[in-house]
Amino acid sequence: MSTDVRSILVRSARAEARRDGSRTIEAEHVLLALAGLHDSAAAQLLAEVGLTEDAIRTALNREWEQSLAVAGIAVRMGLLPEATPEQGRDPHIGESTKLLLHRAMDAAPKLGGGRIGPMRMLVGLLATERGRVARALEAAGVDRAALRTRAAEALAAGAR
Amino acid sequence: MTELVDPEDPAAGLAAVVALRRLADRLEDSQVERAMRSGWSWAEVAEVLGVTRQAVHKKHARRLLAAGVALRRR
C-alpha cells in the first residue's frame, strides 16, 4: 500500500472523519490516519510519545470536554447519544487540513518532485499551536514543540 | 454567576465555540435519527429545528436511509 498524501487523505483520514460524523476532514483525522500507518516512521514516532490511535481519541475527547467546560457545559463523551455515521458520505478537505498541507509543503528540506509522505505531513501537522490537535496534545501531556523538532529532524534525515 | 469565559484567554473561548458546534452537530444527528425512528415526519423535525423541510431532508435523509430508518413520505 502506498503511503503518499493522496492515499492517506482519501483512504484513512476520510474514514476517520466519517466515523467522527464530521462533514470535513480536519487535522485531527489526519493525525489519527498517520498513527494508523503502523509501518511508517511517523506512526512509530507518535507511538514513542504514547500517541497511539486510542490515546489520540482519548486526548481529542478530553480536549472536547475541556473546551465545553469553558462554556459551562459538563459533558462526559461516553454518555453522549450516538448517531449512526453515514458510510457513503464523502467528507471534503477542511481548512485545518489545507493549512497542514501548506505547512508540510513548506517544510525543509525542499520538496522535490516526490509526493508528500507521512513524516512531512506530521511536521506540517505539528507546526501550529492553534486548533484541536495542539490542544489535544496538551491535554495528553505531550510536548508538541519537542515532538515537532524530532519529526523535522527525521524528515531532514530522509524519513518519508 | 461567574464569567462564562476567561476574558484574558481568547484561545480557550474560541476553542469552546468549536466544541459547542461539534456538540450541536452530534446532538442534531442523533436526535433527528431518534425522532425519525419514532415516526416523526420531516416537516415536524424541521418545525422544531426552525429550518425548512428541504434543509433537514437534504442534511439527513441519505444517512438515515443507509442506517435503515423507515422514513415517512412527508
Side-chain angles (χ1 to χ4, degrees), chain A residues 70-157:
Chain A
V70 170
I73 295 180
V75 178
R76 287 270 310 283
M77 286 309 134
L79 301 178
L80 270 184
E82 295 282 340
T84 308
E86 181 181 336
Q87 295 309 324
R89 181 185 285 172
D90 272 339
H92 54 270
I93 307 279
E95 288 304 315
S96 60
T97 299
K98 286 181 194 167
L99 279 173
L100 92 79
L101 290 175
H102 280 298
R103 289 173 178 140
M105 280 189 279
D106 291 345
K110 206 166 155 23
L111 187 63
R115 285 191 172 158
I116 299 175
M119 190 61 82
R120 185 174 283 275
M121 289 178 80
L122 184 59
V123 171
L125 180 59
L126 295 171
T128 180
E129 60 175 317
R130 304 293 181 202
R132 272 198 94 209
V133 167
R135 296 179 67 84
L137 296 192
E138 197 182 331
V142 171
D143 183 340
R144 181 191 52 80
L147 183 59
R148 199 223 167 191
T149 302
R150 288 181 65 186
E153 284 168 0
L155 183 66

Side-chain angles (χ1 to χ4, degrees), chain A residues 20 64 67 70 84 86 135, chain B residues 4 15-16 19 22 33 62-63:
Chain A
D20 189 31
W64 199 6
S67 292
V70 170
T84 308
E86 181 181 336
R135 296 179 67 84
Chain B
L4 183 59
R22 279 180 62 81
E33 181 171 343
R62 252 171 43 136
R63 180 174 65 85

